[in-house]
Amino acid sequence: MADFRLLGPVEIWANNRRLPTGQPRQRAVLAALLVDAGRSVTPQTLLDRVWGDSPPRGARQSLHAHVTRIRQALHLVDVGEPPVLVWRPGGYVLEVAADRVDVHRFRSLLAEAKEPECPDARRAPLLREALALWRGEPLAGLSGSWAARTRESWRQHYPEAVVTWAYAELRVANPEPVISRLTELVGDYPLVESVTAVLMRALYAVGRGAEALGQYAVIRRRLAEELGVDPGPELRTLHQAILRDDLDAPHDRNPASVAVRHPTPAQLPPDTPGFVGRAEHLACLDAHLPGQQPTAASTVVRIVTVSGTAGVGKTALVVHWAHRVSTRFPDGNLYVNLRGFEPTGEAMAPAEAVRGLLDALGVTADRIPPQPEAQAALYRTLLAGKRMLVLLDNARNAEQVRPLLPGAAACLVVVTSRDTLVGLVAAEGATAVRLDLLARGEARSLLSSRLGWHRLSAEPEATDEIVDLCARLPLALSVVAAHAVMRPDVALSVLTDELREARGGLDAFAGNDPIINLRSIFSCSYQALGSEGARTFRLIGSHPGTDITVPSAASMSGVPVRQARALLTELTNNHLLTEHTAGRYAAHDLLRAYAAELADSLDAQSDRDSAAQRVLDHYLHTAHAAARMLEPHRETLTLATPHPGVTPTAFATDAEALAWFMAERSALVATVHLAAATRHASHAWRLAWVLNTFFSRQGYWHDQAAIQHTALSAAQRVADKDGQAHLHRGLGRAYFRLGRHDEADAHLRAALNLCEELGDPVAEARVHDSLGFILSQRGRHQESLPHFQRALGLYARAGHPDGYAESLNDLGWSHALLGNHHQSLLYCHQALVLMGRLGDYHGQANVWDSLGYAHHRLGHHGKAIECYRQALQLFQHTGERYLRAETFVRLGDALLAAEEPEQANAAWADALRILADLGHSDIGLVRARLRSVPELPQPPTPASRRLPGTWPDEGGAGR
């Protein structure tokens, strides 16, 4: 077995020999893993512990190298089961038994010795073994703030262990062994009275009373010179007993107290009335109660940070939980409001907080040393060996908290803050609990606890609207509930009307009491921001999306991406934003309203306009790049150069582009409406046009129609005929997908007139393609042919090979519907060759689908199945959903004709899943196929063969 030593130089021993542990940095990595032996340690935590707050470039690579060398050292263990260093989800785990690490073994022995039922005959050898583990300065040779803090934390346990051991030896009449260690300890801790007291007892017990009195004289002088105080009551009483030569044997098993006896502190504020929900967070806090943590974790004080935005209920949660578990802390509880984000005053200084804690612990004024450092040391001494709950509420930052942390592992510290307190998580190993908005059910329960179930059940719709208008923020809900309580005869619907009228502002949540005034509460977080962070927060109030990414924030603020990331992190750390998904940040509606209010009052209109212009440029140029990635052969759109400070996102693959569209869908729709409302018609119609491919392929036809209609109105206001032509065609396309064929036809006719007037042959050809498909959809296949032939001629004269290839497929499809299947195959094969040369995957998918239909009609079922599967593979690659569903239907028909009913049902089931997700009316047709008796049907007639909603892609074909 291997033994790991941290209570001195960092070492590994196995089979009576020391194994190589490398240079100091490698030993620091080993120590950072061993303090959490058996538990996951994230790479970021290791970086923070070893390199501090500002790791150099390449630190992560160095960390990996150190981990590799540590693994090599562990492989040298050739006795017993060797320890291993493994990677698990979340971080590195050094799998070693806690009792093989000296610091964990020390704490385990100390805890066993301090059990009340442990007899002194057992206690003394336990503590003797524990003290033998100390080989000098803990973590000797390691530098850095984490090593220093950890070293200091461990050192605080050493004198406690020595004193406890010494008293145990005295009680079993074995004073001789303790004198040398106590004498050394007095030199290290000359002002700790409990150490001098037990040394005086030991000296007296072996007949060296004069030396005992000399020790008293020394500490009395030092206390007077360095702290300006006299020895405490215990030491004075001990001194008098030695003078009288009538000192009794010690009976108190924990005589280390330096304070007069005082009632057990119980400082918790009143519990929150009507507390509801938060079961998951309460369970997380419960997991840190005494006895719930593994032994390895008992070497350091347990800390839990609870962070969240203003008004989210952090204090209510921890106070409610603390009342529930108060009996688990027999030595009491301490509470301090640190006023870190207080509307009514400045943050409390740590020294002021320590003085208040000493008062709570019963230390009289004459016993409190004047220096803040000495007061903090006294505070830690008083908590040593005690099981107490320390609740530090409303902390400003980690620096305010650190002086208030006890050294005793039996204590539990819970800290609340609007700051994430990441420093405590990284350096002190705190567990972070993030409190978010209430779930809808919890929000209703909160209202019910204040207003009564009967009042809410009488107006369920008004109740739900109150929940929404309050953004599920507990404080806002409580304020509205209070208004409702004060007006018992007023219907809740009246309150919702008042809230609705104030929507976009915070007037409904204002009041004279700053504790419940949302503006005052939000302002405390806002005031903690730097100037650039504050400016970014104000701009977010008018951002069109429900959330924001780093690139869009960079463009909005006009700063580099790296700076924008730091600004969003600052806002997140102050809980003015939430990173709800990796890289995506959001603020609830009330915070957005507050940000918009600040922008209106603090920012010039020109600055707000410039930010809006940059946002529009960002989304237009990024969406254009994404659309070109999805469909490289689409029409070229000329865009103006983006304004300075705009950083459009670039895409390496079509998968990245599709993922961006999916994530930004709601923001893109909102941006079109914003552009139209702010009279940026050019941005409105161009962005609406750019979105056609994505919306069409993904089946978001209602969104597509809405933004095309909004953008068309904007283009008409400024008489932009080019924009109107594009948008009429886009509306025709969207209405066709929605089954509104007459409206689709009207918009396409309007588009055709504008294209002819503008002299744009390619755009004119696109419209003819679309008109041909509408006629084909209505079963008028013969009438559709002239439109497809006209499009083919226009593409040929314009020298447009992409459109020409698409029109060849359109003609092939039309001939297939007319029963000219051999003619259809000729056109489609020409189209397939040309599209292959062009690399048009979506066009090729459409051609394979047309070929499959023609072969099916000719009775070539095997070839038809092969063609349909080729089409499906390509449709999946391009992100097309609706046309993929159509092809699945036709594949099922071909499989049934080939006497493969089970495979046919599987294909129709795939089609049904896609159509159900799209909410498409063709679901009924597919369900009918699945319910049908497996016969060998003839292919349906051309007039009814095609499913409703068939449509060409923006490129032309593609149905």
Side-chain angles (χ1 to χ4, degrees):
M1 297 292 288
D3 290 302
F4 297 85
R5 301 180 178 180
L6 302 179
L7 297 176
V10 178
E11 296 175 350
I12 306 174
W13 284 77
N15 202 18
N16 294 321
R17 65 187 180 98
R18 187 175 63 187
L19 303 183
T21 51
Q23 298 301 315
R25 195 78 75 183
Q26 181 178 326
R27 295 199 296 274
V29 174
L30 177 60
L33 290 164
L34 285 171
V35 296
D36 286 304
R39 295 196 301 169
S40 178
V41 186
T42 68
Q44 187 60 52
T45 298
L46 291 173
L47 289 171
D48 292 334
R49 289 176 177 177
V50 177
W51 281 275
D53 295 335
S54 302
R57 186 183 301 274
R60 192 171 291 271
Q61 288 74 19
S62 297
L63 173 63
H64 295 159
H66 290 315
V67 167
T68 299
R69 285 190 283 269
I70 290 170
R71 284 171 171 157
Q72 292 169 349
L74 296 177
H75 289 158
L76 299 176
V77 177
D78 54 4
V79 291
E81 184 177 351
V84 292
L85 175 55
V86 297
W87 171 264
R88 288 181 182 163
Y92 293 102
V93 180
L94 184 50
E95 293 185 340
V96 57
D99 62 357
R100 308 311 300 182
V101 183
D102 59 0
V103 67
H104 300 323
R105 177 66 176 162
F106 169 78
R107 293 299 300 165
S108 176
L109 292 168
L110 185 60
E112 184 179 352
K114 290 170 64 177
E115 289 294 333
E117 63 273 12
C118 182
D120 287 325
R122 170 66 175 158
R123 178 179 290 111
L126 285 173
L127 292 171
R128 199 178 306 132
E129 179 185 352
L131 293 171
L133 297 170
W134 286 74
R135 298 169 295 107
E137 185 81 351
L139 304 178
L142 300 189
S143 60
S145 59
W146 172 79
R149 285 193 299 269
T150 303
R151 183 182 299 118
E152 179 61 27
S153 173
W154 293 351
R155 287 180 61 186
Q156 292 169 17
H157 298 292
Y158 181 73
E160 174 195 1
V162 173
V163 170
T164 306
W165 166 67
Y167 274 105
E169 296 283 15
L170 289 175
R171 283 191 293 272
V172 295
N174 187 30
E176 286 285 356
V178 306
I179 293 176
S180 61
R181 191 181 289 268
L182 286 171
T183 301
E184 180 182 345
L185 191 64
V186 165
D188 293 335
Y189 298 90
L191 300 179
V192 177
E193 297 182 34
S194 59
V195 178
T196 297
V198 70
L199 176 58
M200 291 172 62
R201 286 182 175 275
L203 290 169
Y204 180 83
V206 296
R208 296 158 62 180
E211 293 179 51
L213 294 173
Q215 290 290 334
Y216 178 81
V218 170
I219 193 170
R220 179 181 180 184
R221 184 178 66 254
R222 284 176 172 168
L223 288 170
E225 292 174 352
E226 299 186 32
L227 300 181
V229 299
D230 291 326
E234 179 199 353
L235 207 55
R236 293 199 302 269
T237 301
L238 179 61
H239 175 246
Q240 291 298 318
I242 293 175
L243 286 174
R244 294 192 304 268
D245 195 24
D246 63 352
L247 180 63
D248 295 330
H251 297 290
D252 185 3
R253 288 180 172 175
N254 184 23
S257 174
V258 297
V260 296
R261 294 204 172 269
H262 188 269
T264 301
Q267 294 191 305
L268 292 178
D271 196 1
T272 305
F275 184 89
V276 298
R278 304 297 196 192
E280 179 181 350
H281 302 90
L282 291 169
C284 184
L285 290 168
D286 285 342
H288 290 79
L289 287 168
Q292 304 290 6
Q293 293 280 35
T295 303
S298 64
T299 60
V300 294
V301 63
R302 289 162 296 166
I303 308 167
V304 181
T305 65
V306 178
S307 62
T309 191
V312 81
K314 301 179 291 295
T315 301
L317 169 70
V318 298
V319 169
H320 175 73
W321 172 81
H323 278 284
R324 284 179 44 193
V325 302
S326 59
T327 57
R328 300 290 294 273
F329 298 92
D331 296 312
N333 54 72
L334 299 171
Y335 172 87
V336 184
N337 179 2
L338 295 174
R339 304 196 303 266
F341 299 88
E342 192 75 25
T344 58
E346 296 182 356
M348 179 182 291
E352 179 185 353
V354 170
R355 178 57 192 266
L357 290 168
L358 290 175
D359 290 340
L361 291 167
V363 182
T364 58
D366 63 307
R367 300 289 303 129
I368 296 178
Q371 295 88 353
E373 295 81 4
Q375 292 177 9
L378 179 58
Y379 160 69
R380 290 193 296 270
T381 300
L382 292 171
L383 265 61
K386 288 188 168 63
R387 181 173 289 182
M388 299 189 73
L389 174 63
V390 181
L391 181 51
L392 304 176
D393 194 18
N394 197 12
R396 182 77 170 193
N397 49 41
E399 287 69 28
Q400 187 188 27
V401 171
R402 283 195 176 103
L404 312 179
L405 297 177
C411 293
L412 173 60
V413 181
V414 180
V415 190
T416 72
S417 180
R418 300 184 198 179
D419 188 274
T420 55
L421 302 176
V422 65
L424 292 181
V425 177
E428 279 74 22
T431 298
V433 175
R434 191 181 75 177
L435 206 57
D436 209 341
L437 302 173
L438 292 172
R440 294 186 62 84
E442 292 177 330
R444 284 192 291 268
S445 296
L446 189 153
L447 291 174
S448 178
S449 70
R450 307 293 176 87
L451 304 179
W453 177 82
H454 292 291
R455 190 169 181 185
L456 266 59
S457 62
E459 297 183 81
E461 294 181 358
T463 300
D464 289 341
E465 190 166 2
I466 289 174
V467 168
D468 292 336
L469 292 170
C470 291
R472 294 180 284 120
L473 187 70
L475 179 60
L477 289 162
S478 297
V479 171
V480 172
H483 289 319
V485 168
M486 299 302 294
R487 303 159 68 186
D489 298 328
V490 175
L492 295 182
S493 58
V494 174
L495 292 176
T496 61
D497 291 340
E498 295 173 358
L499 289 172
R500 204 181 305 110
E501 290 173 5
R503 191 160 197 172
L506 301 178
D507 290 343
F509 306 99
N512 295 326
D513 188 347
I515 300 300
I516 60 171
N517 186 307
L518 288 190
R519 285 193 184 94
S520 297
I521 291 169
F522 291 161
S523 71
C524 296
S525 296
Y526 173 75
Q527 295 298 330
L529 301 173
S531 59
E532 284 300 311
R535 173 176 172 267
T536 300
F537 174 69
R538 296 194 301 270
L539 293 176
I540 285 174
S542 58
H543 186 270
T546 57
D547 58 7
I548 191 169
T549 62
V550 173
S552 59
S555 294
M556 180 186 67
S557 301
V559 300
V561 169
R562 184 174 182 179
Q563 183 179 350
R565 182 176 288 107
L567 292 172
L568 293 180
T569 298
E570 180 184 6
L571 295 176
T572 302
N573 287 343
N574 283 278
H575 283 285
L576 292 169
L577 288 181
T578 300
E579 189 177 8
H580 63 92
T581 303
R584 304 195 70 84
Y585 301 81
H588 60 71
D589 290 346
L590 297 179
L591 275 173
R592 286 174 64 95
Y594 177 63
E597 286 185 359
L598 290 174
D600 288 342
S601 61
L602 298 177
D603 295 325
Q605 184 64 48
S606 59
D607 292 338
R608 302 203 301 274
D609 291 343
S610 295
Q613 179 71 61
R614 289 192 298 270
V615 169
L616 296 178
D617 280 355
H618 172 82
Y619 280 115
L620 175 58
H621 283 267
T622 302
H624 185 255
R628 293 288 294 174
M629 185 64 69
L630 290 183
E631 190 181 6
H633 306 281
R634 69 179 291 123
E635 300 170 48
T636 301
L637 186 66
T638 302
L639 302 180
T641 303
H643 284 68
V646 176
T647 53
T649 301
F651 304 98
T653 64
D654 50 0
E656 288 182 8
L658 180 59
W660 182 84
F661 270 129
M662 295 295 290
E664 296 284 1
R665 174 188 158 202
S666 62
L668 290 165
V669 171
T671 301
V672 173
H673 291 299
L674 173 66
T678 54
R679 300 194 176 277
H680 290 87
S682 176
H683 283 77
W685 81 255
R686 283 177 168 80
L687 182 55
W689 180 85
V690 162
L691 296 175
N692 271 331
T693 295
F694 167 68
F695 281 160
S696 178
R697 291 184 182 181
Q698 291 296 311
Y700 299 127
W701 304 309
H702 290 285
D703 284 345
Q704 185 181 10
I707 63 171
Q708 300 288 325
H709 186 274
T710 296
L712 177 60
S713 298
Q716 289 171 335
R717 283 198 302 268
V718 296
D720 187 332
K721 291 187 177 180
D722 188 26
Q724 292 176 53
H726 281 84
L727 295 165
H728 276 301
R729 181 154 56 94
L731 269 171
R733 175 181 187 167
Y735 284 148
F736 181 85
R737 288 284 201 182
L738 294 170
R740 297 161 63 175
H741 296 159
D742 290 339
E743 293 170 90
D745 183 78
H747 281 287
L748 289 173
R749 299 291 176 183
L752 185 61
N753 292 334
L754 285 167
C755 291
E756 292 172 347
E757 181 181 344
L758 293 168
D760 186 343
V762 174
E764 184 181 345
R766 300 289 193 209
V767 179
H768 277 294
D769 273 333
S770 302
L771 287 168
F773 270 102
I774 282 188
L775 292 169
S776 178
Q777 172 63 25
R778 294 177 171 180
R780 295 155 63 181
H781 309 303
Q782 194 65 47
E783 296 176 51
S784 71
L785 276 177
H787 287 286
F788 293 139
Q789 290 165 342
R790 174 64 174 161
L792 187 69
L794 288 168
Y795 286 132
R797 287 195 293 276
H800 196 285
D802 303 303
Y804 187 82
E806 291 158 2
S807 286
L808 286 172
N809 180 52
D810 296 340
L811 284 166
W813 175 255
S814 188
H815 277 290
L817 294 177
L818 287 168
N820 304 325
H821 304 301
H822 291 288
Q823 185 72 11
S824 170
L825 292 176
L826 289 174
Y827 277 117
C828 290
H829 279 298
Q830 292 180 61
L832 189 62
V833 171
L834 186 52
M835 286 180 178
R837 293 173 185 167
L838 295 170
D840 184 350
Y841 296 118
H842 195 272
Q844 291 177 65
N846 282 305
V847 178
W848 282 113
D849 181 75
S850 300
L851 287 168
Y853 180 69
H855 280 300
H856 184 189
R857 294 285 291 176
L858 289 168
H860 307 155
H861 304 311
K863 287 185 177 180
I865 292 168
E866 181 181 348
C867 291
Y868 286 141
R869 286 175 172 160
Q870 288 278 2
L872 288 169
Q873 185 177 358
L874 289 167
F875 277 141
Q876 184 174 23
H877 174 76
T878 60
E880 173 65 62
R881 293 204 294 170
Y882 177 69
L883 296 183
R884 195 160 182 258
E886 281 196 326
T887 303
F888 268 125
V889 173
R890 285 192 281 278
L891 172 61
D893 293 345
L895 287 165
L896 187 62
E899 302 185 40
E900 297 287 352
E902 291 185 5
Q903 292 187 45
N905 279 332
W908 291 332
D910 286 333
L912 185 64
R913 279 190 288 270
I914 297 173
L915 293 171
D917 188 47
L918 295 174
H920 200 278
S921 60
D922 287 347
I923 289 176
L925 298 176
V926 180
R927 283 177 175 158
R929 280 172 164 79
L930 286 167
R931 290 193 299 265
S932 64
V933 178
E935 299 174 350
L936 298 181
Q938 293 297 318
T941 61
S944 62
R945 176 64 188 83
R946 189 155 185 80
L947 293 177
T950 298
W951 193 251
D953 197 279
E954 182 62 33
R959 301 186 294 279

